[in-house]
Amino acid sequence: MPNYKFAKVPSAGERIGYDGGVLRVPDNPIIPYVEGDGTGADIWRASVRVFDAAVEKAHGGQRRVHWMEVFAGEKAYKNVGDWLPQETVDAMQDFRVSIKGPLTTPVGGGIRSLNVTLRQVLDLYACIRPVRYFEGVGSPMREPQKLNIVVFRENTEDVYAGIEWKAGSDEAKKVRDFLVSNFGVEIREGSALGVKPMSEFGSKRLVEMAIRYALKHCLPSVTLMHKGNIMKFTEGAFRDWGYEVARTRFGESTVSETDLTKGGSNARADAVVVKDRIADSMFQQLLLRPDEYSVIATPNLNGDYVSDAAAAQVGGLGMAPGGNVGDGLAVFEATHGTAPKYANLDKINPGSVILSGVMMFEYMGWNEVSALIVRGIENAIRSRRVTYDLARQMPGSTEVSTSEFGNQVIKGMGS
Ligand code: NAP
């Protein structure tokens, strides 16, 4: 077992392995977790009880997770003097599957978002965000149950790569001069500048993961969401590379929407349909015809917008889970922030971390555990004993604390 200075490796438990492209999960895996800042402690306390109860219920004593706390964010800064200690990154790499609560991003002072750093350092190239409706949750939509999608957002490139220069800086001036003199482009003097890198490698591996997911879960379609009508060589290329991956790697099991419409395809009847939509139209489509979409693969910025917008359609961020996934490596996380005004009040909704746990157990192949937790959440909502955010959208419900909502989920798993 590796040695860490601050984190304590549990005395029992084994590491998850990765061999030949397949995750090898022992019955007693060690899973690192970051509690998270602000409301993180309240949420983690409730969530871990749900996870342990579900594993126990599904497998008796046969399987058990050995949790290992690792530090990041305010807790790390206070105890160790570092917002993101290297050993936390190492532990996430060594143990392969981990879960985290929200982390504060200190504003100013040149500190990069811890979340963005983790994704880039560990090359967690897909941000996976399933969005589905839970019956009974208040929603602004008339038929929120029609939305059931999984967004695969590219996590390492695009304007999020962090390559930008401040207006008036020497760097911005140099880059502008270079572009103006070499390419004759017009850029207003004194502009801030940013770079939008999008590679064939990065785009193709993301789309490949999305198609594999659709095939594994027998889902009907993968939609490439892009803004290629305007940004032809970045977003347009994303679309073209996406279709190319579908054609060359999954020719037998996918069919393009165009081929399907022409009726001339030789693909199997159960083939996954690969289609594309312009980003702005995609937002309209999700509002007007949500049931025509299933898996969405998209570059970084589009993915950020569309996953939050879709979450709002089904009742908000408190119930939106996420996973950052690479090859044989994954960090699951709440998609909301630290909501500091509710810290230590035992008030906030733990649903996002609990559902991130559902994704984590699915990723590990512990599907029975995931199914139990989903059932627990469905029944907890049905009981109408929910946290404040859900209660304010559910007339006639009773507001309960974070910990009590956790109890409701455990109860909802059944006896
Ligand atoms: P936020 O923490 O997500 O909170 C904004 C609002 O969203 C809350 O006031 C609350 O709304 C609602 N909300 C968030 N989480 C909820 C939950 N679990 N249950 C119910 N309602 C929830 O966003 P922020 O205030 O912009 O950001 C605060 C800090 O979090 C910042 O430092 C930011 O950088 C960080 N952040 C971290 C992550 C991450 O770690 N993945 C993501 C985003 C932001 P009401 O007040 O209406 O109840």
Side-chain angles (χ1 to χ4, degrees):
M1 284 288 170
N3 256 330
Y4 300 98
K5 208 163 144 197
F6 309 109
K8 248 178 92 182
V9 181
S11 50
E14 288 172 62
R15 273 198 273 180
I16 291 175
Y18 185 63
D19 189 12
V22 180
L23 212 60
R24 308 276 171 206
V25 182
D27 284 342
N28 53 351
I30 295 176
I31 298 189
Y33 71 93
V34 176
E35 188 179 76
D37 297 328
T39 46
D42 282 348
I43 290 177
W44 178 252
R45 216 174 294 121
S47 304
V48 74
R49 281 199 305 113
V50 169
F51 300 153
D52 286 341
V55 173
E56 170 64 29
K57 192 167 168 50
H59 298 291
Q62 287 275 308
R63 284 182 172 171
R64 190 186 143 201
V65 173
H66 296 264
W67 302 104
M68 169 181 166
E69 182 168 19
V70 294
F71 301 97
E74 284 166 3
K75 204 165 175 182
Y77 190 70
K78 213 184 292 161
N79 295 337
V80 186
D82 191 349
W83 290 95
L84 183 60
Q86 181 58 40
E87 69 161 44
T88 295
V89 180
D90 293 344
M92 289 175 166
Q93 186 115 45
D94 290 340
F95 293 93
R96 297 200 168 273
V97 175
S98 38
I99 185 161
K100 62 174 272 297
L103 295 174
T104 305
T105 297
V107 177
I111 297 165
R112 283 198 75 191
S113 157
L114 303 179
N115 300 308
V116 174
T117 306
L118 271 177
R119 290 169 196 166
Q120 290 191 342
V121 172
L122 294 172
D123 198 23
L124 304 170
Y125 59 84
C127 177
I128 307 177
R129 298 266 304 262
V131 183
R132 59 155 286 190
Y133 179 65
F134 283 93
E135 199 192 319
V137 171
S139 150
M141 305 301 292
R142 255 185 310 171
E143 296 178 301
Q145 71 285 355
K146 284 191 170 174
L147 185 74
N148 190 356
I149 57 169
V150 185
V151 178
F152 281 72
R153 160 188 169 194
E154 204 290 326
N155 230 357
T156 62
E157 302 192 329
D158 200 353
V159 283
Y160 277 49
I163 310 170
E164 56 175 12
W165 297 281
K166 200 172 166 178
S169 66
D170 279 355
E171 292 89 343
K173 189 174 174 309
K174 264 191 208 155
V175 176
R176 176 184 174 276
D177 290 349
F178 177 80
L179 294 174
V180 171
S181 57
N182 285 279
F183 301 113
V185 294
E186 282 182 27
I187 302 174
R188 199 165 281 135
E189 243 180 272
S191 294
L193 290 175
V195 175
K196 179 181 173 76
M198 283 173 55
S199 68
E200 179 173 354
F201 173 77
S203 304
K204 281 187 168 174
R205 66 178 176 171
L206 184 270
V207 176
E208 179 170 344
M209 194 190 273
I211 293 176
R212 282 193 196 287
Y213 183 93
L215 289 169
K216 184 172 170 202
H217 293 86
C218 301
L219 297 172
S221 67
V222 174
T223 304
L224 308 168
M225 172 188 174
H226 62 90
K227 192 69 189 160
N229 53 331
I230 306 295
M231 291 170 270
K232 296 179 194 305
F233 300 127
T234 49
E235 304 257 335
F238 177 87
R239 184 200 65 168
D240 295 345
W241 288 324
Y243 278 124
E244 199 182 316
V245 167
R247 214 175 36 247
T248 56
R249 303 242 174 110
F250 304 95
E252 286 293 301
S253 44
T254 64
V255 57
S256 74
E257 189 179 42
T258 321
D259 279 351
L260 197 64
T261 320
K262 279 194 223 144
S265 165
N266 298 323
R268 292 188 339 226
D270 60 349
V272 170
V273 178
V274 179
K275 47 191 175 184
D276 75 280
R277 295 289 180 271
I278 304 282
D280 37 336
S281 149
M282 187 79 243
F283 282 92
Q284 296 183 41
Q285 296 277 304
L286 287 182
L287 288 167
L288 301 173
R289 302 147 79 134
D291 47 357
E292 290 181 14
Y293 298 92
S294 173
V295 172
I296 295 175
T298 190
N300 210 333
L301 180 64
N302 300 336
D304 195 358
Y305 294 159
V306 78
S307 40
D308 273 21
Q313 282 181 230
V314 296
L317 276 183
M319 298 294 285
N324 297 293
V325 180
D327 293 326
L329 206 62
V331 179
F332 296 87
E333 66 173 353
T335 56
H336 56 73
T338 59
K341 66 181 173 188
Y342 299 119
N344 305 317
L345 298 181
D346 198 21
K347 184 176 171 77
I348 201 90
N349 186 351
S352 175
V353 168
I354 294 177
L355 287 168
S356 302
V358 167
M359 293 177 71
M360 180 184 78
F361 287 119
E362 251 169 38
Y363 183 72
M364 290 161 55
W366 291 16
N367 295 340
E368 328 70 28
V369 178
S370 299
L372 267 177
I373 302 175
V374 169
R375 194 206 304 169
I377 290 193
E378 285 169 346
N379 285 332
I381 293 170
R382 227 168 260 142
S383 77
R384 307 183 80 75
R385 292 174 58 75
V386 291
T387 46
Y388 82 97
D389 55 315
L390 299 179
R392 72 186 166 194
Q393 304 177 75
M394 291 169 62
S397 56
T398 305
E399 180 183 328
V400 300
S401 62
T402 312
S403 42
E404 182 50 30
F405 185 71
N407 292 340
Q408 289 299 316
V409 176
I410 293 171
K411 200 165 140 201
M413 291 176 197
S415 46

